[in-house]
Structure formats: C-alpha cells, structure tokens
Amino acid sequence: MGDTVLRRKVDQRDRGKLGAELHQFARELFPICRSITGEGLRQTLSIIGRRLPLQIVEIATGTPILDWVIPKEWNIRDAFIKNSHGERVVDFQNCNLHVLNYSTPIHTKMPLSELRPHLFTLPQNPDWIPYRTSYYKENWGFCLTQNQMLGLKEGEYEVCIVSSLEDGQLSYGECFFPGTSTEEVLISCHTCHPSLANDNLSGLSVATFLAQQLLGRNLRYSYRFLFIPGTIGAIAWLAKNRESSKRIRHGLVLTCLGDRGPFHYKKSRQENAEVDRVVEHVLNHTDPSATILPFSPYGYDERQYCSPGFNLPVGCLMRSVWGTFPEYHTSADNLDFIAPHSLAESLEVCASIVDILENDQRYKNLAPFGEPQLGRRGLYPSTGGTSPELELNARLWTLNLSDGQHSLLDIAERSNLPFEQIRAAAELLLGSRLLELAVDNRADRTSIE
Ligand SMILES: [Zn+2]
C-alpha cells in the first residue's frame, strides 16, 4: 500500500486558503506577455522554478522536431497605434492582448484604410479584446475592442511594434520525481498564452501546486511535469524523448480548471486506459454534473501525446471546454473569470486521481470460504465510525472481490463506493491478515528499464 494519500478531508477553510494561494499564483503570472518562445515564457518558467526543481530545456531555432522545425524566437517591448494628435489609441502597455502574438516589427504611418486589414475585433462582444496569434506565418496586427475600432476616425495613424523575430531558442520546463517504479505519470500544461487566466494560468497553477504536493513523498510511480508551449512544445518534448515516452503509463493534460463550470474529461485515444477509468471514477464521486467526452484529435496537447505513433494514455481534464465559453481567447478570460474555489476543487480532483494511481492494487482474500467472522476481529463496525453501514459494505465488497484478479478500482466501480473507502477497507483487512497483496501478473504490465 503506497503511503501517498494527497487528498485528505478538507474543510471549507482549508479550501478557501488553498484557493486563495492558487489564485494569487495566477495573479503573479497574469501580466507577463507569454508566447511559444521568448522572454515572457522564460520569466514564467523561472517563477514556477521558485517552487519546484524545474529543469529548463532550450532548443535552437531551425532544429527539426518530428514533422516540425523550431521557429524563430519572438520578443516584444512595446506596441501602439497613435492618432494624428500623437495619442496612443491602442496601447500594448495597457494590455498585451492588443498585439497579434508573434507580430513582426513595424514602424510607419498609414491611413486607416490600409491599417484595417491588420485590426481584429469581436463585434459580438464590443468591450472585449480578442486574442490572436500568427506563429507560423509572418504578419503583424493589433487586437482591439469593437468600441475602440468604432472610435477610429479616417486619417493617418502611426503604427509601431517594437518586437524581434530572430534565431533563438524554444524553452520549456520539466520536473521529474522518481518513484519506486520507472513507469511514469505525465502531467502536462501549456504556458504560452499571454494575459489569459482560465486558458493557460489555471492549468499551470494547478499543475505547479500538485507537483509541490508530491515533492519529497515516497511514490509508487515516477512523475513528470511538463510546462510547455502548446503544440510545438509537446512535439519538441516527444521528439527528444521518443524512446523514454514509452514509460508513460498514465497521463493528463490540465487546462481551463479555474472557471465556475462543471468538470469535463476528454478520454485518451485508447478510451479505456486506466487513467480514463480513474478520472471517471473520481468525477462520478465529486461532481454530479461532470461530463466524460470521447477522444477527438482536436484540443490541447493530448493531440500530440495521442498521435497514433505514440498513442500514449493521456486524457485532458477541464472544467469548461475550450471554445464553448464566450470568454475563451478574449480579454474577458481574466482573473475575475477564474474562482479560487474552482481552482482548489480542481487541485483536489487531481490529488484524488494521483491517490488512486498510487494505491490501486490487487489483493487476495485469505479466508475465501464463507464470510470471515468480522466481529471476532473487531471489524464489524456496529459501534462508532461515521457511517458503519458504508464501512461494512466496503469491507464485504473488498473481501468478496479480492481474488487476485480485481483491483481496488474494479471493486470501487462495481460497488459504486468511493475508491478511498475501498482503499481504507483493504488497509484494515490487510492489517487483520484477511488479505494479502496479489502478485501482479497482468500481462500488459511491462517494465522498461
Ligand atoms: Zn488557448
């Protein structure tokens, strides 16, 4: 039995404190202008690195990675559109979403008619700034509110973007905790969006805090946390770790975990991987309105991990699904859109998932002929205990199905009892010598040294 039980019963005060800390961390990272490369990304990784033993990996522009090539590094210092009075009518210093991410440098004057094709707005939400990128096609542009756009009079404007797009590096952060087994659990999140809270910072904050909870623990599995720019970062990591990626036994992409919506879990390409069952079980007992989604080859970095050549058991845990909430990829995905309570609850769900992965074992009933007399062993919960009926039920299910074939998760699923209840029963029965650990003879469990 692993000694890792991350998710203890938390009262509302604990959850409030944890939520406030998660939100504060997102707040600290919010102003940074991140992209898929550059100083904003490095600065973000260095702030995460204050909390975790994070290894920063850099790969040079032009390096081939699978079917892709590491792009040029982008950096930006300032950007604005000035009217004929010299007033900044669009100003990067007010909000970094105002610049088309990866814009090439420009400094010139032009009439509004010439500027228009480079301006992006959201007419349906006239007070929000859209988030737009142009990573793989050189372009420049500005994002502004529809109301700002309506205020622009015909005439000449000074357009300035103080950016650079040059040979450099792509950076990502990697944090590894070795366990007893060389088999790994992968936790991955993207770190490439500028001032966007739910899409980017919520997943990043939850992943950082989860890693902090695992620091210094005795672990069954080895854990690998990746803080990477979306798509290109996952492809870069896979290209560099093609062989060792085979050690990944379970994986999760964490994103959009701070909004107030119900949980969603998108299954891995395998769809019946252990992680798929584990997350479904945790959500069944956490959030009655949670939804399990089938795999699809669109979304976040699970697309790369689940590409057919790798086919890793990696699912994606979210609250609201990207693209389905109006705030997605706009300035309204801000610090008010993410709630401390939601962040804390998301972290608790992740901790419960880790608890199951760490503690799911097969046991053998040592007294399988007839029911063993529990009362004689002090295992009949007639007095005390918070829910004696539930406890008895968990013990009976665990005894009955512990035939060396059923895992504790199998038992939890079949009895419809929370895994933690079954695990506690198994621990007690093990202590009373009614169970022993079964030799793990599953054919699919191959260890790669
Ligand atoms: Zn996004």
Side-chain angles (χ1 to χ4, degrees), residues 131 190 193 199 300 328-329:
Y131 162 57
H190 64 288
H193 289 22
D199 180 12
Y300 290 96
Y328 174 74
H329 279 191

Side-chain angles (χ1 to χ4, degrees), residues 89-263:
V89 289
V90 178
D91 188 355
F92 171 78
Q93 304 301 339
N94 290 339
C95 176
N96 58 36
L97 297 179
H98 275 313
V99 163
L100 175 75
N101 202 286
Y102 249 68
S103 277
T104 48
I106 187 169
H107 192 186
T108 187
K109 285 188 177 176
M110 63 178 70
L112 184 59
S113 57
E114 217 175 291
L115 180 55
R116 271 190 201 281
H118 293 277
L119 302 181
F120 304 93
T121 65
L122 289 169
Q124 68 277 28
N125 287 297
D127 289 321
W128 297 356
I129 307 162
Y131 162 57
R132 295 272 190 282
T133 67
S134 189
Y135 301 138
Y136 303 108
K137 182 171 173 265
E138 291 199 4
N139 192 9
W140 64 268
F142 286 86
C143 303
L144 55 160
T145 70
Q146 179 69 11
N147 287 333
Q148 268 178 306
M149 174 84 120
L150 294 174
L152 297 181
K153 298 188 173 63
E154 291 303 328
E156 196 161 70
Y157 288 88
E158 181 184 347
V159 174
C160 180
I161 299 176
V162 189
S163 66
S164 62
L165 188 59
E166 293 163 354
D167 284 356
Q169 309 284 326
L170 173 131
S171 323
Y172 66 79
E174 185 165 10
C175 176
F176 183 70
F177 302 137
T180 309
S181 168
T182 55
E183 292 181 335
E184 294 182 10
V185 178
L186 175 77
I187 305 289
S188 176
C189 60
H190 64 288
T191 51
C192 52
H193 289 22
S195 295
L196 294 170
N198 199 36
D199 180 12
N200 193 164
L201 295 181
S202 67
L204 194 165
S205 303
V206 169
T208 303
F209 278 57
L210 182 66
Q212 283 184 279
Q213 291 189 353
L214 291 177
L215 257 176
R217 282 182 184 264
N218 284 330
L219 297 163
R220 173 192 189 179
Y221 287 108
S222 297
Y223 285 76
R224 191 177 297 280
F225 286 80
L226 295 181
F227 298 90
I228 50 175
T231 307
I232 194 77
I235 287 170
W237 186 85
L238 286 166
K240 277 178 75 83
N241 299 276
R242 206 165 174 151
E243 266 313 297
S244 61
S245 71
K246 291 176 185 160
R247 289 201 281 263
I248 294 169
R249 183 87 188 155
H250 317 284
L252 278 180
V253 167
L254 301 182
T255 183
C256 296
L257 287 170
D259 64 86
R260 292 161 178 84
F263 282 98

